[in-house]
Each structure stands twice: as C-alpha cells, then as structure tokens.
Amino acid sequence: MFKRARSKDDFAQEIKAHLELETDDLKSGGLSDEEAHRRARVAFGNVSVAQERFYSRNRIAWFDNLMRDLRFALRQIARNFGFAAAAILTLALGIGASTSIFSVADAVLLRPLPYPHPEQLVRVWEQMPNGHRPNVAESNFDDFLTQNSTFASLAAYDYGVASISGGSEPARVNVSSVSSGFFPTLGVQPLHGRLFAADEQRPHGAPAIVVSYGYWQRYLGSAADLSRFHLDLEGGSYSVVGVMPPQFDFPSGVAAWIPRELDPPAPNRTAHNWQVIGRVRSGVTVAEARADLSVIAQRIRHRLGTQVDLSAAAVVPLSDAIVGQVRPALLTLLAAVGLLLLVSCANVAGLLVARTSSRRKELAVRSALGAGRSRLVQQFLAESFVLSFGGGILGILLAFFGVQVLPAILPASLPRQAGIAIDTPVLLFALAAMVAVAVVLGLFAAWRAGGRDLRDALSAGSRSHTGSSATQRLRSLLVIGEIATTLIILVGAGLLGRSFLRLTSTSPGFRPESLVAMEFSPPVPQQGMDQAAIAKQVHLLDDIVARLRDLPGVTSVGLAGALPVAAGDNLPDGAFLLLNGHNPPANFDEFGRMVQNHSQAGHALYAVASEGYFHTLGIPLIRGRFFGDEDTLDAPNVALISQALARQRWPNQDPIGQTIEFGNMDGNLKPLTIVGIVGDVRARGLDGPLAPVIYVDSSQRGMNVNSTPTILMRSTAPPGEIFPAARGIFHGLAPDVPVKFSTFAQDMGGWLADRRFLLLLVALFAAAALMVAAVGIYGVVSFFVARRIQEIGVRIALGAQRDDILRLVLGEGARMAALGIVIGMGASLAVTRLMSALLFGTSATDPLTFLAVAALLSCVTLAATYIPARRAMRVDPVTALRYE
C-alpha cells in the first residue's frame, strides 16, 4: 500500500516495454513505424482500463480516495477558514465540557472501588418499621456477624475528629475505630509494617494504631522504623504498627485506624453507633444477603420485642452507598453537558446546511462526472471527520485545563475525587464522541446534498447560489431545536440559582455575622469521662474562654459541642426519656427497655453548650433561664430545650421543671431538669427543618468523644488579628491540642460548596449554550437576508420603508424564538421534575424562572437578529437588483 507509487510506475514501464516489443515485431513484418505502433496499441487494448484493473487488484483505491478526500477537506478548511473556525470552536466547546464532566463521573460513579472483587462489598444498616435506616447497634452487629450464612466477612467502624500528638506536631485529624474484620473485608494490606495483632483487638489490649500514607509522610517523616513512634490519642499511648498504601482512603479522609475492641462492649441495642460493611460470599447476590440479615433482624425483634427498634436489614452495594448523595447532582451535570453537546452539534449542522447549499454546483458537477452516492458520502464523512477531530483535539486540551481547575471548585464532600484525571477511559470517551459527531454530521451533510435534480443544480443562477426555501426551513428547524435545548439548560440553571438564593437567605435562627469559630479536641481520658476528668476538662476550658474574652474587640465567647448549621451533622441525635416522676434507669439495658414506650420517649438532637453560647449567637430565651453559675458539676444537672421540641413534645404543657434522661448520648445517666426554652435554630443545615434540640451544660457534662468542641467568638476585630492571639492562648494553656480557626462565613461556604459547584457548572454550560444558540440564530437570519437580497431590493424600490425591512427580518427571528421557547417550555416541565431533590424552597415548575428564561432567550434572539436586520435596512436597491 505504501509503495503504490512505485508499483504504478513499474506497471506503466512494463506496459510501455510490451508495446515497444510488439511494435518492433510488426515493424519487422514491413509495417511503418506509425502503423506498427497503432496496431500494437489496438492489439493491447485500453491502457487506462488495464491500469485501473491493476489499481483495483492492489486494493489501494479506497486508501487513495480517502487520502484525496482528506486533502480536499483540508483545502476546503483553508479556503473557508471562518466556517471551519466556527465549527471547530463550537465542537471543541461541547466535546471539551463533556470530557471534563465525564472524567468526574468516571472517577466517582463508574470506576470500580480499588479493592479486590469490589462487586462483593456492601454497606449494611438496620431498618426500622417506619423505613428509617440507622446505623447498627453493637449487639445487633454481633448477631449479624455470628448468625449469617451469606457473608464471607462483616466489619463495624466509626470515625470522628480527634487530636493526635507524638509526631512532628499535634494534629487534629479523622480517626476511625474499626473491628477485627475491617481490613480483611476490604482486602487491603499495609504498605509498611502490619495490621493489628490478636492481643491488640481485645478489651484493654495493647493500644496499637495504623496510620495513613499522608499522615506517615507529614507527621512521621516517612520513617522506615515505626517501632519508635508512640502516638497520644484520647488519653492513651498507641504504638504505630502499620502504614496503609497511598491509594487507601476508607472511610474518606481518615488519617488513622485503631481497634474497636479496645473499648468494653456496649450491649445497648438502641445505640446505633456503628457503620457496617461486608463482603458477600462468591455467588451470593445483594438481595440474598439482605434477606439473610433481615431474617436475623426479625429473630432479634421476636426475641426481645420492644427492647429493639429494628425490623429488617438494609443492604446495598458499597459503591452505591459511597456516592449515593452525589449521584443526582452528577447525573444532572451529565445531562446539562449532554444538552450542550447537542446544541453544539445542531449549530454545526446549521453551518453545514448553508455550506452544502453554496456547494450545490460543485456537487452536481461531481455527480455528472460519475461520482456515485457512496463516493459523495465518503467525501462528506472525510470533511466532517476533519472538523470533528479538530474540535475534539482542541476539546481535549480544554478538558485537560478543566481538570486542573476542577479541584479548586469541587466540594470537599465529593467522594473519590482524587481519581479525577484525563486517563485512558476518558480519552476513549472523547474519541467515541468525536467519531459519533463526525458520522452524524457527515451523514447529515450527505443527506442534504443528495436527492437534488442534476440539471436544476447545474443551471442554478450563479456560483454563489444560496439555496432553496427547504434549506432555509431546515436551518430554521435546527435553530429552533437549539433554542428549545438551550431553554432547558437555562431553566435548570435558573431553578438551581433561585434555590441557592433561597437557601443563603434562610435565617439559621441566630446572628451569623462577625462570628469566629475555633474547633479543637480537648483531652479525653481513655477510661472515660468520670467526675474528676470532667472537672479537669471544665477547668481548662474555663481558663481558655476567660483568656479569649479579654482579647481586644471580643464582645462574647461561648462553647459548643459542634458548630450549628455548618457542622450540624456532628450533632448526635437519639431517643430520650420523660421521667415524669419515675426513677431514672439504673443502666443502659433498662434505658433501652423504657425508651420503647413511645408515650414516655421523645427524639431530639443532643448539644453541649455553655451559657455564653446563647449570648454569642444571639439565640433568644423564650421562657425560664439560661445556664448559670449555680449549675456546677455537683449540682443537679439541667437542660435547655428548643421551641420546636417544646411544641412537639409538650404542646399543651409547661415543660419547665420536667425531668428527662438523655444519658445514652454521653454515657452519663444523671437525669436532666428542664430550666428554660430557647429559640429554634436550623442545627442540621439551612435546608433542614427547625430541629428539636436538648442543650446540656458543658460545665456539668463535659465534652465527650462524640462531640466536636467549638469555641464561638463574636468580635469587632478582623480575624487576622484575632487568630494569632487566640493561637497563642491555646499554645500556652494546651500546647498539645491542635485548633482549627475559621470564620462562620468560611464554614458556611464549605457547607454550601456542593450546591455552589453544581450551580456554577450548570450556569457555565447554560451560558455556553446561550452563546452557541445566539451564533446559530445570527447565522440563519444572515442566510435569510442573503437569500432574499433581491426581494429586499425590490421592496425598497417599490417604496418599502427601512422600518418595514427591519420588521420583516426581526419577524423571522421572532418566529424561531417563539417556536423554540414553546417547545422548550414543554420539555422543561418534564425534565426539571427529575431535579426536584436538588431544589430548596423552589418548585420544579417555578413560573418566575420559566418566564425570566423565556424573556432572556427572546432578548438574545432579537439581539442576534438585529445585526443582519440592520444590514438588510442599508441595502442599495440598484445594487440589489443587479445582484447575481
């Protein structure tokens, strides 16, 4: 194939030699040179036909034709650079955006988990009779583990923020407590060292810790000898025994793992403290595993009755559990970018319609010279492949840039984002998109070029003939489709924008301005928070708060177990008891039995707070009193409740003076007396309801391991002045306690990051689609003006005013806009219902959004139409009548 030029020359020389030999033979018979040469040619036959047969037998015709078509396509691009540039840039925008978002979807949704046989990994919950799926209680997990017949292994784990010292510097990191089957279930081995030994996985065993690759690098200096490191955590000293591989990140963001079995068993079957993963046996389906655990759950309920609150088990693939919350947002992004690619293709198709119409004579001549339909299709495919691959290569470059920018705007909560990259699967997706676009556009152009009358095409007015009315109608239909598709994207972006504005304007229930937050982890003894430990902790926190209160510009300081709204998920919730004169439970088993009596139980968030917390946030006192100096460690324990809880549990009663029990939250079974009612806050997030909350006094209950202690400070001084001074106070009073400093606005920004990310990208795609649609509208109206230039000249010569011409052209754009908007409205009403779960305070059929988007598209359409309309108004009748 690649030596075809030489082969053709050799064959030509062979024919020439044959003719010369034949001529010499004839000349030797007495013929003249001319006659001998003529007879030799006649005897041999048609030389061109022989060469064609040789050409075909060597199977190089298709390749030569392809190369010829590609060279011709490149010449056409060079000759029509404006058309080619518009088409390539439009396709680059669609393919680049699609590739960027597919790289995110591939890493988060499509790529299998990085563990052996990931399809066997599942996540397990308990399931209550009302359908709620809480985590698993410890004793229930033990029954699941010992009685199942479908799992190769089951493991329980939990994680939270804790302070670790003993490395190069104290660190506040996520630490996970894991059961003995955790690492075997996932099928991972450490990069250095080992996993936990048997004597490290029993109550009061030798404390050991496995650290992440990142922690090992940053705080342990990548040391090969792990035996010299002992890390202080929760009052205990843990020996470092292993380092996990760099790609291991489960649970997400965890820096260290410790054995769950170090703590004594907690037999309470209503304390849903543990997350559970499992690996099903080979050949077992998820449905079979769910049925197996549900039978065990029903057996537990039958045996214990009201002492438990589970009725079944929920089992889903681990990959689905990890990405479940972000799946709707990513699918929405994929849909938006798919629509953008569709708009881009429609725009290029419109350009091809105009260009094919202008090449009508050229194509007719080709057909007249013998080019068949398949030959013309091949030519159009070659031209569309050049355009598509040009746009695709530029789009991939844009995608590389986009993937570099994405980490700056991706929400921290997005799982598995470390794997986002332009890798082989993403490049194959881009290649598939390029090929699909090229084939569709090439076949579309060939379809438009075919079926024409040859004689009519050859006799068409001139070489600049602009096409028929059918061509104009087709371009108009393409633009109408662009407008409809763009409207769908714009409506989605508008709904998300309205939802975001509603969310950010929602009051959290307190004054968020000028708030500074300091999250930290105070020392918690390994044996638990007894009275002495609480007294020591309270004394330390009082000293820190007193010193912070004296800083210049500070107006108030408060202490909380977690930052409300922005970190509301860190607030634990559970069932509490209304004692109503009854004796408090003596132990947690009795608590579990009592709480099953729904008339004697309630459900609320558990929040640790100081008196200054309410003053700092501006949460009002509705009735009763705040915490006070009289509420000491030895005094009867007191509580404040939110208005929502008062309305919910005591609708026609006075809750002040009522006694409740909420010791399952912190392990302290001292009863609580309600002394006040405070205003409601949206503790679990701005998109959540006003939550029922029970506040306990930090001076009486202390900060336990289930809280995320935060000091809140209201200050008139800028954070840049407050943070260094506050850091100095912590360093002086608690040098081993790392602190995270932030403003409340920054914390809220992090909480809103996932919604902002979705809104930003959909808005960008909507803007790009709007721009592409505007270019398409401009192109089709310009085509309309060019095709009717003579008619416009005649109209002006017969007395039509400039305003009449303006209305004529603007009417063309207005008709397309009206049809596109009507079609887009109908499609949007169906499509936007699928994104209802992403909206807050906004209906998926919000009329204001639909009307605003329709008005915006109408204005853009008229603006894109006005430019060619102005050109039509300035047509010189004399020139127009000589046109063509």
Side-chain angles (χ1 to χ4, degrees), residues 5 181 342 554 704 745 784 868:
L342 188 62
V554 173
N704 57 67
F784 167 82

Side-chain angles (χ1 to χ4, degrees), residues 317 375-376 443 593 855:
R375 188 68 187 83
L376 292 177
L443 293 178
R593 288 192 295 271

